[in-house]
Amino acid sequence: MTTIVVTGIGATSPIGGTARDSWTALLSGASGARTIEADWVEKHEIPVTFAAQALVRPEEVLERQEVKRLDPSSQFALIAAREAWADAGSPEVAPERILVDYATGIGGLWTLLDAWDTLREKGPRRVLPMTIPMLMPNAAAAAISMHLGARAGARSVVSACASGTESIANAYEHLQLGLADVVVAGGTEAVVHPLPIAAFASMQALSKRNDDPAAASRPYDTDRDGFVLGEGAAAIVLETKEHALARGARIYAELAGGSVTSDSYHITAPDPEGSGAARAVIAALEQAGASADDVTHINAHATSTPVGDVAEFEALKRVFGDRVGEIPVSATKASTGHLLGGTGALEAVFTILALHERTAPPTINLDNQDERIPLDVVSSPRALGDGQQLAISNSFGFGGHNSVVAFRSHDD
């Protein structure tokens, strides 16, 4: 098998405007959850009044025309991809050998719903001609590909909260098949909007800690009451190790494997036995040529929902057996909230940096750990030690989607 490596990272998240700023804030125990300062909260009597909104707004980074012609989801994606590409040294690659595989869980929701409001209130002539290309789920991948001149492909994954991780797993396969020399992969989401918040709240999925947003996302805690909706994007640049070394690129880590499975169980609830998720972990490790005993760190999906956190533990127990309580686990949604289609990409960046800096990031807001989930949860930055490290990052989504990627530390 060809060795695939990570040479660039980028992110714009609720805790930082770049990948490095997000990582620094994560290590410091920051929370991105804040009260929403928008008049629509009161206007629509939204029951949940907080979210983890992106810390740096796109209009502070992008050109005016880019903001005007892109939905917020694509704006975030372009910011993250540009950072990752620059971080990789802006590789000089033939356009036909650059591929984009970029994901979202929902897509251009702000554009769609704003256009509907315009149609109802002002009539069809006032609907913007760019509405369709702005709302389509593949818009982010298209924007990135046009910015980079990528002509090997501009692919889009839409598999709910597993989307970002699945795009990275796909990128691994693209490179193994020789379809490109360089792949930009990742995910984005921008749905901090009254309708999704009302809908998630209606299904009892969101935390209701309106009086204490920063403490609302609390994976594994006995008092967890739902996830915190987040927004933002992340991207990574991937290439073969041979290609990276030939151009003198810095290597963060190896992408050792990736996998996708499905539960075929329920449209929103995870399989309580975790069998599908467990198969995804096992498949990713098999692709990495590794066993469960080789895993030294886990970035868990851990959304802070009463049912989901337990189901993921059951999946991990199936894979790791008695060793499940000995592996350092980070649940970074405690700090960032849940970015839906962007969450797997952001957590992949955190996993890559954990290996690169040999430090597992902390899980905040864990005051009383659920006894049904006896994991070794990292509560403060923890050294991962010397020697080769192997980490997995899990993502699971509505519809029964499961995706897992495995990263291996790289020694210069």
Side-chain angles (χ1 to χ4, degrees):
M1 298 289 283
T2 302
T3 300
I4 309 302
V5 297
V6 180
T7 56
I9 56 173
T12 180
S13 79
I15 56 175
T18 66
R20 281 290 180 178
D21 287 349
S22 298
W23 174 250
T24 299
L26 181 67
L27 293 181
S28 73
S31 170
R34 297 173 287 274
T35 299
I36 301 170
E37 302 294 339
D39 57 8
W40 49 258
V41 174
E42 183 175 353
K43 176 182 177 181
H44 297 296
E45 299 181 348
I46 302 299
V48 174
T49 61
F50 65 96
Q53 295 177 280
L55 185 63
V56 176
R57 305 313 302 170
E59 55 270 21
E60 299 176 41
V61 181
L62 299 175
E63 297 294 332
R64 181 181 177 187
Q65 277 297 101
E66 292 172 326
V67 174
K68 188 175 180 180
R69 291 178 172 271
L70 296 172
D71 181 82
S73 60
S74 295
Q75 294 170 18
F76 290 138
L78 188 57
I79 291 168
R82 280 177 173 169
E83 181 193 354
W85 191 256
D87 188 52
S90 300
E92 295 183 7
V93 185
E96 291 76 18
R97 300 298 297 168
I98 305 172
L99 189 150
V100 174
D101 196 309
Y102 208 84
T104 185
I106 296 176
L109 181 131
W110 272 98
T111 295
L112 173 63
L113 295 180
D114 282 354
W116 174 241
D117 289 341
T118 298
L119 175 64
R120 288 187 305 129
E121 297 168 9
K122 300 178 181 179
R125 293 182 179 274
R126 298 296 295 275
V127 174
L128 296 175
M130 285 292 292
T131 296
I132 297 300
M134 288 171 66
L135 67 82
M136 60 191 190
N138 63 307
I144 294 168
S145 71
M146 286 186 282
H147 174 70
L148 298 178
R151 296 176 184 170
R155 306 191 182 196
S156 302
V157 172
V158 181
S159 54
C161 306
S163 301
T165 302
E166 187 171 339
S167 82
I168 296 171
N170 288 347
Y172 177 89
E173 296 182 354
H174 301 329
L175 288 164
Q176 290 289 352
L177 291 171
L179 301 180
D181 292 328
V182 178
V183 178
V184 178
T188 186
E189 208 74 86
V191 295
V192 179
H193 179 285
L195 180 59
I197 293 177
F200 278 127
S202 179
M203 68 192 304
Q204 306 298 310
L206 294 179
S207 171
K208 300 179 179 64
R209 291 175 179 262
N210 291 330
D211 58 340
D212 192 10
S217 185
R218 45 198 316 110
Y220 310 132
D221 194 85
T222 54
D223 293 329
R224 67 190 185 280
D225 66 334
F227 74 85
V228 174
L229 184 61
E231 65 178 5
I236 63 175
V237 175
L238 297 158
E239 53 194 300
T240 66
K241 183 177 181 179
E242 180 182 18
H243 188 273
L245 292 177
R247 67 181 189 87
R250 172 201 45 219
I251 295 175
Y252 282 103
E254 297 177 12
L255 173 58
S259 67
V260 176
T261 67
S262 57
D263 286 349
S264 187
Y265 173 77
H266 190 274
I267 193 62
T268 58
D271 179 350
E273 296 182 356
S275 59
R279 285 189 295 109
V281 174
I282 292 169
L285 293 177
E286 287 178 347
Q287 198 169 66
S291 72
D293 290 338
D294 297 321
V295 175
T296 57
H297 176 53
I298 298 171
N299 190 303
H301 185 60
T303 59
S304 184
T305 59
V307 173
D309 289 4
V310 175
E312 184 177 13
F313 169 74
E314 292 299 325
L316 295 175
K317 188 176 179 180
R318 278 174 172 259
V319 176
F320 298 103
D322 293 340
R323 188 170 170 264
V324 71
E326 302 172 3
I327 306 169
V329 174
S330 297
T332 53
K333 288 183 182 70
S335 288
T336 67
H338 190 359
L339 278 62
L340 307 185
T343 203
L346 181 61
E347 287 160 19
V349 167
F350 292 154
T351 306
I352 291 161
L353 286 172
L355 294 177
H356 185 64
E357 300 196 356
R358 295 183 177 272
T359 303
T363 302
I364 64 172
N365 300 329
L366 182 56
D367 298 326
N368 298 291
Q369 189 165 339
D370 190 333
E371 62 181 13
R372 297 173 297 170
I373 312 175
L375 293 170
D376 178 14
V377 183
V378 178
S379 58
S380 59
R382 185 189 302 180
L384 290 176
D386 298 327
Q388 190 173 86
Q389 305 287 320
L390 182 70
I392 61 170
S393 182
N394 300 336
S395 292
F396 313 118
F398 282 179
H401 297 278
N402 308 305
S403 190
V404 176
V405 285
F407 294 97
R408 184 177 283 118
S409 59
H410 175 77
D411 296 320
D412 295 328

